[in-house]
Amino acid sequence: MKNTTNIDILECDVIVVGSGGTGSQAVQAVAEEGLNVIVISKDPMSSSDTKICEGVMTVRESGDIKDTESVLSENIKLAGADLPDEKITSAFAKDSKEAYDRLRMNGLRPSINKDTEKPKTLAIAMGGHNKSRSVGHKNSGLAFGHNIWDTIIKYKNVKYIEDCWFLEIIKSDNNKLSNDNKNIVVGGLAYDACRGKLLIIKSKTVILASGGLSTLFFPKTDTMRGNTGDSYALAIRAGADLLDMEQIQFLPFCLASPPSYEGLLAGEPATASFLGVLRDNNNKIILDSVYLRTRAECSEAIMRAVEDGRGSPNGGAYLDMTANKLAPKSGEYFMKYLKGALPSAYNNARQALGKKAGNAEEPWEIRPGAHYSMGGVRVDEYAKAFKTSKDINNPEEIKGLYAAGQAMGGLFGANRLGSTSLTELAVFGYRAGKSAADYAKKEKITFDDRDFDESIKYYDNLFGSNGVEKIYKLKLEFQKECWNNIGPARSEKKLKKIITYIEKLEKKVKNVKINLERKWNQQFIDYIELKNMIYTAKSVALASLKRDKSVGGHVRLDRRASSIFSKPYSTVVNFDSRLGFKVTKLPRTRTEFKRLIIYKINEKSRLLKARILRYLPLNIRDSIIEKKYKKILGENKKVIKIEPGSSAAAPGESQNITY
Amino acid sequence: MEKDEFITLKLELFRDNKKKYVEYNYIKRDFDERPMALDVLLQAQENEIDDLAFRYGCRARNCGVCTIDVNDKPRLACRARVKDGDKISPIATLPKIKDFVVKRDGISRQMQGYNNISIKNNLNVEADHSYHNLTSCIECYACLDGCPLHKKNNLEEINNNPYTYGNPFSFLKLQRLYLDPLTPEKEKETIIEKAKSLGLETYKKEYNNLKIKCGVGINLKDEVIKPLLKVAFGDQIEKKNK
Ligand SMILES: Cc1cc2nc3c(=O)[nH]c(=O)nc-3n(C[C@H](O)[C@H](O)[C@H](O)COP(=O)(O)OP(=O)(O)OC[C@H]3O[C@@H](n4cnc5c(N)ncnc54)[C@H](O)[C@@H]3O)c2cc1C
Ligand code: SF4
Ligand code: FES
């Protein structure tokens, strides 16, 4: 294989795929070791979910010195319905402080609490978190965006290539390093769109820091366009196990119209406040006490109405907060609360739905939207990727492959608590970098050009494919199918339907038109993204089928909620080019019964109290609520910002162990 | 099709190293819809030009990648409403790759290593609001329009080389670092040297005629350029400008 007009050959110690928060922390870890890094990103450098997020981050001990490692670790595991891997939650808790300080060394500047000499946390502990430990930042994710950018361009030994799509992880056929010689990474392939070249990158290691999958549901998502599931597709094609892929977090209250705002966040369960309810198209209440419900419960109510033909015109339902507004005494406080609690979400809703809706004088049309993937590449606490050969409990390492951030699985299980993803990327991005650097320093590998031959030929030949199908159309149609069948409302029938759909789609994809042009070939780009979406969606569907009870961020219309007596397990999906997809259950350890029961009782009693409140005489109710607002709003009547996707935003989530 | 069911826009594409004009009839989804430029591009790709190349990310004015020119002025496609007869083209201030996609990284490359300095150890120091005002920048490059310095760069060539001359964004980056309470005094000289090497002096000469506008409303002249000029060249600029 030689440099040709269409192909460039590069070499480095570590390839980092993705320039979001995870990528930047991996880059830093490797660069500090003096090794050569190539960081590749399909979006312009630092433009990522990390840059557009709300910027609230979990920092252990920031709000309470009793916040020990075991307290935090257990909190994450319980919230995730016992699906998380304890080694990984422990690593998260162990590193969270120093990971945060590293970002601060790079220029992240939180407000400081003058009394404690520590970063200021949000004034109330976020729901779901058992301690106050969430730190907010001015300009939200943009503060992180600058941080990432500064980190990546800081080091001489880092080369970055943006507008570049990573296509495939290449493993060796010829190395004699281990018995299973197919299990060693030797580099990767990429498409440099601006220069119109395919890149062969020889490298002992690849770190997947390439984010999530929410674009499967476009436009019903609030995340970046690039979340086409590349992390998962790349990993599973390289033989890695994927964990808990059915666990996708949907936010229940995203906008359903107008088109320019579709999918963006409008509010969270907490937005509904004390008297907000959900209504269907017939104006019937489909869920009360919304503010105490979990996101899954809200999504379930909405999606059941839609399935029954009682949905709103754009396939959602109505969030009706007018009762809050009409209350004589507390109404005024409600408006302050509504505007201040989630300012960016409120602004989206106000702009999209108009003034009357903005004043809570009419209900908001809302619909769930995809936000985050809890599942991902099976890794250990050092971010090393694993595959199952024989025994599901004893997987083997894929040498030289790492995954971190939203790409990884095993940390959050069935539910991610608010503000934890930024910590996840800071902790495991850096760990992945250190693991890769250690390995690259130690191991010797002989590169053999033949390892790259098959893949490069495949991608090179795609240019000029002379079929009839329009790839962009196929992509849009597929996104609709994904929403309908592996979205927030699923059933066995739907899951089987998408699997059949995918089989047909795979045939169509073979017959697409891709023109010959090398420079920024949009059809080629759409092709490779659709290919990744297909692998990912199939993994989600298969994992969902393996889950026989309803657990986590979506609803199984045809299954009951998992009971307290059933044993927790994760799902594992893998792929082999000869044998196809395979899905298995991985048993997890269950938390003590005593604690689970306490959780359950707590949940019921909170809901009961809220119900009673609704049936009190109007004037008494109004006074009680007024008092409550005064307490939340504090002395200076300023509302404490809460993070979308967090559990403060869904206080009901704190007791979200629905076994 | 009734006239009021669609609006007609002129799309300026870039293909085979040439400009190519296409009229596109945007089909309104609502009688009174006033679409964003991004809606038009998305629909054009769906209905007619399936290989149309353009950038977007968040659809919510956060990621900064969707900048295009509407009637020759830089705008964020996801939040720029368009009307009948408007022209949409790639931003004029960066090298064109394909259709609406321009090459952006010459700017970040010119800043490589600019922040490789040691900072103070005590992290628990508060940054003031002038620092935070600057981190609201989304890196949309709208401010390249009208920048007398950036214009001097070779904007035709497509390679991975850094630009020689600076722009409001790169100065914003330097000023942010300068304002950072954790940047030691002695390192601040390095920052000013870097600003000078990017051609800050041109701003001194052209300060009064400088027409740069930030895509998200940061006051670039007062919050970035003026303070840098003041430290780099002393007080006389301010006086002269009055
Ligand atoms: C609106 C919103 C608000 C949020 N708020 C919070 C919050 O307040 N707190 C919190 O903790 N979490 C929050 N989250 C979640 C959090 O932002 C993300 O989970 C996290 O930033 C993911 O980081 P990452 O580095 O793993 O991926 P990303 O930041 O998404 O980066 C992925 C990178 O990979 C690149 N890439 C992908 N595929 C390829 C490929 N094939 N080739 C090359 N490059 C590729 C992309 O270009 C990008 O650079 C929020 C998310 C959203 C959408
Ligand atoms: S300074 Fe303003 S215009 Fe310039 S890149 Fe930043 S946000 Fe855009
Ligand atoms: S798409 Fe992100 S700013 Fe326009």
Side-chain angles (χ1 to χ4, degrees):
Chain A
M1 196 69 50
K2 280 187 307 221
N3 277 313
T4 65
T5 41
N6 293 332
I7 298 167
D8 268 2
I9 301 175
L10 308 172
E11 215 173 308
C12 65
D13 300 305
V14 180
I15 302 173
V16 176
V17 186
S19 67
T22 311
S24 82
Q25 282 308 290
V27 162
Q28 175 171 359
V30 184
E32 286 171 349
E33 301 295 320
L35 301 183
N36 289 320
V37 190
I38 294 183
V39 50
I40 279 180
S41 134
K42 65 184 186 183
D43 294 293
M45 189 181 64
S46 87
S47 280
S48 58
D49 272 18
T50 315
K51 181 177 175 182
I52 68 162
C53 81
E54 286 289 319
V56 188
M57 178 160 167
T58 296
V59 184
R60 189 177 65 78
E61 255 182 9
S62 55
D64 187 339
I65 42 164
K66 284 187 238 127
D67 191 7
T68 61
E69 287 176 23
S70 63
V71 168
L72 174 55
S73 169
E74 201 191 65
N75 196 180
I76 301 285
K77 190 165 185 299
L78 269 172
D82 272 341
L83 270 51
D85 178 336
E86 201 171 322
K87 289 209 181 93
I88 299 179
T89 57
S90 299
F92 174 93
K94 180 162 180 279
D95 288 7
S96 96
K97 265 168 48 175
E98 66 180 86
Y100 183 61
D101 283 349
R102 209 159 39 237
L103 299 184
R104 294 208 279 162
M105 296 291 280
N106 297 341
L108 190 69
R109 299 283 169 263
S111 293
I112 303 296
N113 180 331
K114 302 238 158 54
D115 297 333
T116 59
E117 284 264 304
K118 278 184 196 162
K120 256 189 210 152
T121 53
L122 307 189
I124 34 170
M126 290 179 116
H129 283 281
N130 53 12
K131 295 277 184 237
S132 159
R133 51 165 91 98
S134 300
V135 180
H137 296 86
K138 298 222 168 81
N139 293 317
S140 313
L142 295 174
F144 287 80
H146 283 280
N147 206 257
I148 301 169
W149 197 95
D150 285 347
T151 307
I152 293 176
I153 66 164
K154 184 169 177 173
Y155 303 94
K156 278 212 183 72
N157 43 338
V158 175
K159 180 182 162 90
Y160 69 87
I161 313 175
E162 61 181 43
D163 298 323
C164 187
W165 274 254
F166 193 76
L167 302 171
E168 215 71 73
I169 297 160
I170 305 295
K171 296 199 298 178
S172 174
D173 280 342
N174 307 298
N175 260 288
K176 301 282 175 278
L177 254 183
S178 83
N179 297 333
D180 181 5
N181 55 22
K182 269 228 168 196
N183 251 344
I184 299 167
V185 167
V186 292
L189 287 189
Y191 171 56
D192 180 346
C194 283
R195 291 165 61 244
K197 294 205 179 220
L198 290 175
L199 307 179
I200 291 177
I201 311 172
K202 297 179 180 172
S203 169
K204 288 179 221 169
T205 58
V206 173
I207 299 176
L208 294 174
S210 30
L213 52 66
S214 300
T215 301
L216 284 178
F217 308 102
F218 177 86
K220 297 164 185 83
T221 170
D222 67 337
T223 68
M224 287 284 283
R225 187 211 69 89
N227 285 298
T228 45
D230 299 12
S231 302
Y232 319 116
L234 288 164
I236 203 171
R237 289 204 294 267
D241 287 356
L242 300 183
L243 268 182
D244 296 326
M245 286 304 288
E246 77 286 3
Q247 297 299 344
I248 297 170
Q249 185 174 44
F250 292 92
L251 300 181
F253 305 149
C254 296
L255 291 164
S257 75
S260 323
Y261 289 84
E262 225 183 323
L264 302 184
L265 190 71
E268 286 271 27
T271 308
S273 199
F274 304 108
L275 302 173
V277 294
L278 281 177
R279 292 180 192 273
D280 65 11
N281 212 24
N282 308 327
N283 210 25
K284 200 179 142 229
I285 294 181
I286 52 175
L287 195 74
D288 63 16
S289 315
V290 168
Y291 76 109
L292 284 180
R293 306 290 184 159
T294 64
R295 288 190 201 89
E297 280 177 292
C298 297
S299 297
E300 174 169 358
I302 301 167
M303 295 316 292
R304 282 196 192 276
V306 173
E307 293 289 319
D308 281 4
R310 292 177 285 115
S312 65
N314 294 297
Y318 295 99
L319 175 59
D320 182 359
M321 297 175 287
T322 50
N324 290 308
K325 174 70 186 289
L326 289 174
K329 281 195 226 154
S330 60
E332 167 207 353
Y333 289 98
F334 167 70
M335 279 316 292
K336 285 209 181 74
Y337 169 80
L338 178 66
K339 287 181 184 162
L342 280 171
S344 56
Y346 176 76
N347 285 336
N348 287 340
R350 166 80 186 65
Q351 285 171 29
L353 304 174
K355 205 168 152 195
K356 266 186 122 173
N359 287 335
E361 281 156 13
E362 59 184 37
W364 298 2
E365 191 192 0
I366 43 76
R367 185 181 60 199
H371 184 65
Y372 182 87
S373 163
M374 269 89 65
V377 184
R378 183 177 190 180
V379 289
D380 67 2
E381 67 273 32
Y382 302 104
K384 294 177 184 164
F386 282 82
K387 68 177 278 185
T388 300
S389 307
K390 291 177 199 88
D391 179 3
I392 183 96
N393 291 304
N394 280 312
E396 50 184 274
E397 214 180 287
I398 299 180
K399 293 203 163 170
L401 183 62
Y402 309 84
Q406 196 170 169
M408 70 191 269
L411 174 58
F412 297 129
N415 185 20
R416 175 177 82 82
L417 290 186
S419 74
T420 49
S421 176
L422 289 169
T423 317
E424 172 191 43
L425 63 84
V427 167
F428 295 101
Y430 195 76
R431 279 183 172 236
K434 287 294 179 218
S435 299
D438 273 359
Y439 172 85
K441 278 184 195 165
K442 273 201 299 250
E443 300 291 336
K444 283 218 163 37
I445 281 184
T446 36
F447 292 105
D448 187 328
D449 287 347
R450 283 171 299 173
D451 289 331
F452 294 83
D453 281 349
E454 191 187 335
S455 283
I456 198 90
K457 212 165 123 194
Y458 167 81
Y459 286 103
D460 201 40
N461 282 340
L462 284 175
F463 291 93
S465 298
N466 220 349
V468 292
E469 298 284 353
K470 284 197 167 156
I471 197 78
Y472 187 67
K473 272 247 152 85
L474 295 181
K475 201 173 172 183
L476 289 177
E477 280 163 22
F478 187 48
Q479 284 162 330
K480 285 202 187 94
E481 288 298 318
C482 286
W483 176 257
N484 290 336
N485 299 307
I486 51 170
R490 302 176 195 165
S491 64
E492 191 172 328
K493 203 171 140 205
K494 284 165 177 275
L495 295 168
K496 291 196 165 142
K497 196 172 152 212
I498 193 126
I499 289 172
T500 320
Y501 184 91
I502 288 174
E503 278 162 16
K504 285 189 199 134
L505 180 61
E506 279 167 337
K507 286 193 190 111
K508 283 191 191 165
V509 166
K510 292 205 173 101
N511 187 25
V512 292
K513 163 129 186 76
I514 301 177
N515 60 35
L516 264 173
E517 162 104 52
R518 294 276 163 164
K519 210 171 24 147
W520 203 289
N521 187 323
Q522 191 61 40
Q523 290 162 329
F524 179 80
I525 292 170
D526 285 332
Y527 178 91
I528 53 185
E529 290 190 340
L530 178 59
K531 178 175 162 164
N532 290 337
M533 285 163 64
I534 291 174
Y535 275 89
T536 303
K538 197 155 179 181
S539 307
V540 173
L542 290 171
S544 303
L545 279 169
K546 203 69 181 174
R547 178 84 41 218
D548 41 28
K549 293 275 161 50
S550 204
V551 174
H554 61 276
V555 187
R556 272 299 291 267
L557 299 164
D558 55 347
R559 289 285 186 282
R560 308 250 314 252
S562 188
S563 99
I564 194 164
F565 301 107
S566 50
K567 285 209 159 157
Y569 63 89
S570 281
T571 60
V572 174
V573 186
N574 47 34
F575 173 77
D576 178 297
S577 54
R578 279 172 305 126
L579 306 170
F581 284 82
K582 194 173 150 208
V583 50
T584 325
K585 286 183 187 177
L586 173 67
R588 295 292 198 188
T589 44
R590 184 173 43 196
T591 305
E592 265 180 90
F593 273 126
K594 219 166 73 190
R595 314 196 49 146
L596 294 176
I597 291 165
I598 294 172
Y599 257 71
K600 198 81 186 157
I601 292 172
N602 248 325
E603 176 190 320
K604 291 277 180 241
S605 75
R606 275 165 67 102
L607 214 55
L608 198 66
K609 274 189 210 151
R611 285 236 171 89
I612 293 170
L613 184 70
R614 280 192 53 213
Y615 294 111
L616 287 174
L618 198 93
N619 55 342
I620 300 178
R621 182 174 84 191
D622 197 19
S623 301
I624 295 179
I625 294 178
E626 186 185 11
K627 268 194 214 131
K628 287 189 185 238
Y629 278 125
K630 280 188 178 154
K631 204 170 147 201
I632 306 174
L633 298 172
E635 277 162 37
N636 48 10
K637 287 192 188 171
K638 264 188 83 176
V639 188
I640 301 105
K641 256 175 80 169
I642 46 186
E643 182 224 337
S646 75
S647 294
E653 209 108 306
S654 45
Q655 280 80 31
N656 180 23
I657 310 292
T658 39
Y659 279 87
Chain B
M1 201 159 26
E2 295 282 320
K3 174 69 188 130
D4 55 2
E5 283 171 6
F6 62 89
I7 53 179
T8 306
L9 291 115
K10 192 168 168 186
L11 307 184
E12 182 191 303
L13 310 185
F14 183 75
R15 299 193 162 196
D16 306 320
N17 283 317
K18 285 191 299 279
K19 288 180 187 172
K20 184 180 164 201
Y21 290 95
V22 176
E23 277 209 342
Y24 178 70
N25 290 329
Y26 177 82
I27 305 159
K28 289 201 277 184
R29 287 167 285 197
D30 247 325
F31 176 73
D32 47 55
E33 188 190 359
R34 289 171 57 221
M36 309 289 179
L38 180 59
D39 297 322
V40 175
L41 298 176
L42 285 167
Q43 196 190 79
Q45 184 179 17
E46 183 177 353
N47 290 352
E48 283 180 28
I49 320 167
D50 79 310
D51 62 342
L52 189 65
F54 56 95
R55 292 183 194 277
Y56 73 98
C58 65
R59 301 182 293 135
R61 195 182 179 257
N62 271 327
C63 72
V65 304
C66 66
T67 325
I68 39 110
D69 278 358
V70 177
N71 302 331
D72 298 316
K73 281 285 156 208
R75 306 289 304 278
L76 290 171
C78 64
R79 283 293 171 268
R81 296 202 189 274
V82 289
K83 54 181 189 321
D84 206 67
D86 280 352
K87 182 179 94 174
I88 307 181
S89 49
I91 51 170
T93 45
L94 286 171
K96 298 183 202 14
I97 300 286
K98 177 77 158 290
D99 297 345
F100 297 96
V101 175
V102 294
K103 181 111 169 116
R104 292 170 49 112
D105 58 4
I107 291 172
S108 47
R109 292 188 195 284
Q110 85 182 161
M111 300 298 284
Q112 212 142 14
Y114 87 105
N115 56 343
N116 205 346
I117 60 174
S118 59
I119 64 156
K120 283 191 225 155
N121 288 325
N122 179 12
L123 293 171
N124 294 316
V125 185
E126 187 98 32
D128 69 15
H129 69 95
S130 51
Y131 174 90
H132 292 297
N133 283 353
L134 302 187
T135 59
S136 69
C137 162
I138 63 171
E139 201 186 354
C140 68
Y141 296 152
C143 55
L144 302 183
D145 184 46
C147 170
L149 251 184
H150 177 69
K151 222 164 42 190
K152 297 188 195 175
N153 293 313
N154 179 353
L155 298 174
E156 296 296 312
E157 218 171 312
I158 293 163
N159 49 34
N160 283 341
N161 297 338
Y163 290 132
T164 313
Y165 298 101
N167 58 72
F169 169 79
S170 48
F171 291 117
L172 175 140
K173 277 291 194 185
L174 289 168
Q175 175 64 5
R176 190 199 57 87
L177 192 60
Y178 192 92
L179 287 175
D180 188 334
L182 265 63
T183 303
E185 282 307 314
K186 64 175 187 358
E187 301 283 8
K188 292 190 174 173
E189 287 164 30
T190 332
I191 298 171
I192 299 301
E193 283 316 306
K194 175 79 185 174
K196 286 182 178 168
S197 77
L198 290 173
L200 185 65
E201 193 152 9
T202 303
Y203 278 174
K204 182 177 150 194
K205 292 190 203 112
E206 309 236 359
Y207 190 81
N208 287 330
N209 306 324
L210 202 56
K211 286 206 176 56
I212 43 172
K213 211 176 139 200
C214 167
V216 298
I218 302 168
N219 184 340
L220 292 168
K221 273 179 91 168
D222 282 358
E223 298 208 47
V224 175
I225 311 298
K226 201 193 247 175
L228 279 175
L229 287 175
K230 203 163 157 184
V231 217
F233 304 110
D235 259 331
Q236 76 267 36
I237 308 101
E238 246 204 319
K239 280 185 209 123
K240 243 196 260 163
N241 287 331
K242 280 204 171 130

